[in-house]
């Protein structure tokens, strides 16, 4: 199975 | 005050159709340069970024930067009241708590106006770093929509593998597996039918079908779509909005356990 990652892991909140 | 008049009103109608399944509400940031929207879906797995340039509007006035928070379901209901060939104008006073949409028929014989309450949304904005992607694939938007729809029958994820031979879309699940390979087109008479692959290095990533299928709601906006990928960073699915802007969808990859 593959685990869905979260966008905030890649993009920092401004 | 803020006023933006779009002769090709159908573009705005299609933009709403392209985002309303993914987002319930979002803020339209209006500035001198144009209108931008950036919002993540509730699960923070995908992000939509819309950019409409001021020059694309037949009339554009933005005296002071304005952030208009809107319920997109309501906005979509209002835009459904516009005919495809209507001219659409959005208007708001500077510190207004409502926005007005005006629809003019081409013959000017029918003019409708709808006023909608604005919302105060304090959504966190994400900084999206400029990225030089390892693979950028341009392909017909209808083709991409078809691939996502067909492979969704096989599983909840699609693996996109880009190499110098071409790009392969795969899915596997209970009923079996599906693989679709697209080779780079050598020469096509119509640019819109071409499959163009720019590859710095091969990339293979896995994405949830559910989001890809929501992104393809933007297909009516543009005959082409571009997919940008680099190892272990979100996919970017981009459609142009006529010649006035673009919509970009960012999707976080799935990581094999």
């Amino acid at each position: 199975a593959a685990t869905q990652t979260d966008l905030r892991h890649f993009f920092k909140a401004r | 005050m803020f006023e933006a008049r779009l002769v090709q009103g159908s573009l705005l109608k299609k933009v709403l159709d392209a985002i309303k399944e993914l987002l319930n509400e979002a803020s339209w940031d209006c500035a001198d340069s144009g209108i931008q929207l950036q919002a993540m879906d509730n699960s923070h797995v995908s992000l939509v970024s819309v950019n409409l340039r001021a020059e694309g509007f037949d009339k554009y006035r933005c005296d002071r930067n304005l952030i208009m928070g809107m319920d997109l379901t309501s906005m979509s209901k209002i835009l459904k009241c516009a005919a495809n060939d209507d001219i659409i104008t959005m208007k708001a006073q500077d510190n207004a708590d409502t926005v007005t949409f005006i629809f003019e028929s081409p013959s000017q014989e029918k003019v409708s106006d709808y006023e909608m309450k604005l919302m105060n949304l304090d959504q966190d904005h994400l900084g999206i770093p400029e990225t030089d992607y390892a693979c950028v694939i341009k392909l017909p938007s209808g083709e991409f929509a078809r691939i996502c729809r067909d492979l969704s029958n096989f599983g909840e994820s699609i693996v996109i593998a880009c190499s110098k031979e071409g790009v392969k879309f795969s899915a596997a699940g209970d009923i079996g597996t599906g693989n679709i390979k697209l080779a780079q087109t050598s020469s096509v008479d119509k640019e819109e039918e071409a499959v163009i692959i720019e590859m710095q290095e091969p990339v293979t990533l896995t994405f949830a079908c559910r989001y890809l299928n929501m992104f393809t709601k933007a297909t009516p906006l543009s005959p082409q779509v571009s997919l940008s990928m680099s190892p272990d960073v979100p996919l970017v699915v981009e459609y142009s909005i006529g010649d006035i802007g673009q919509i970009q969808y960012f999707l976080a990859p799935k990581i094999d356990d």
Side-chain angles (χ1 to χ4, degrees), chain B residues 43-197:
Chain B
S43 60
H44 300 120
V45 167
S46 69
L47 179 139
V48 186
S49 171
V50 178
N51 180 42
L52 300 171
R53 288 185 294 277
E55 309 76 67
F57 291 84
D58 143 76
K59 182 177 168 190
Y60 188 88
R61 175 181 163 192
C62 185
D63 300 338
R64 288 173 48 196
N65 285 14
L66 181 66
I67 294 183
M68 300 197 288
M70 295 192 199
D71 174 298
L72 298 180
T73 308
S74 308
M75 183 178 175
S76 179
K77 283 177 187 158
I78 291 178
L79 290 183
K80 287 273 183 234
C81 302
N84 269 329
D85 55 359
D86 275 353
I87 297 166
I88 295 183
T89 299
M90 279 197 291
K91 258 168 121 167
Q93 298 309 321
D94 281 340
N95 43 18
D97 55 1
T98 62
V99 59
T100 301
F101 294 92
I102 297 156
F103 306 147
E104 302 164 66
S105 66
S107 62
Q108 308 280 321
E109 277 155 13
K110 175 183 175 187
V111 178
S112 319
D113 68 83
Y114 298 86
E115 191 174 24
M116 182 178 87
K117 287 190 198 61
L118 293 173
M119 306 165 76
N120 274 325
L121 303 172
D122 52 352
Q123 289 173 325
D124 52 351
H125 261 46
L126 294 186
I128 300 166
E130 280 300 311
T131 308
D132 181 16
Y133 288 95
C135 288
V136 178
I137 305 149
K138 274 191 181 45
L139 72 156
S141 55
E143 183 67 69
F144 179 60
R146 179 73 202 258
I147 289 168
C148 294
R149 192 176 60 232
D150 290 349
L151 288 182
S152 302
N153 293 310
F154 292 88
E156 56 189 32
S157 303
I158 288 180
V159 179
I160 306 179
C162 187
S163 68
K164 61 184 182 309
E165 284 83 41
V167 55
K168 185 171 87 166
F169 301 87
S170 310
D174 305 344
I175 68 171
T177 64
N179 295 292
I180 300 171
K181 292 184 196 118
L182 288 183
Q184 173 138 243
T185 42
S186 47
S187 66
V188 286
D189 42 5
K190 274 171 56 182
E191 157 93 9
E192 294 174 356
E193 279 147 26
V195 174
I196 302 161
I197 299 173

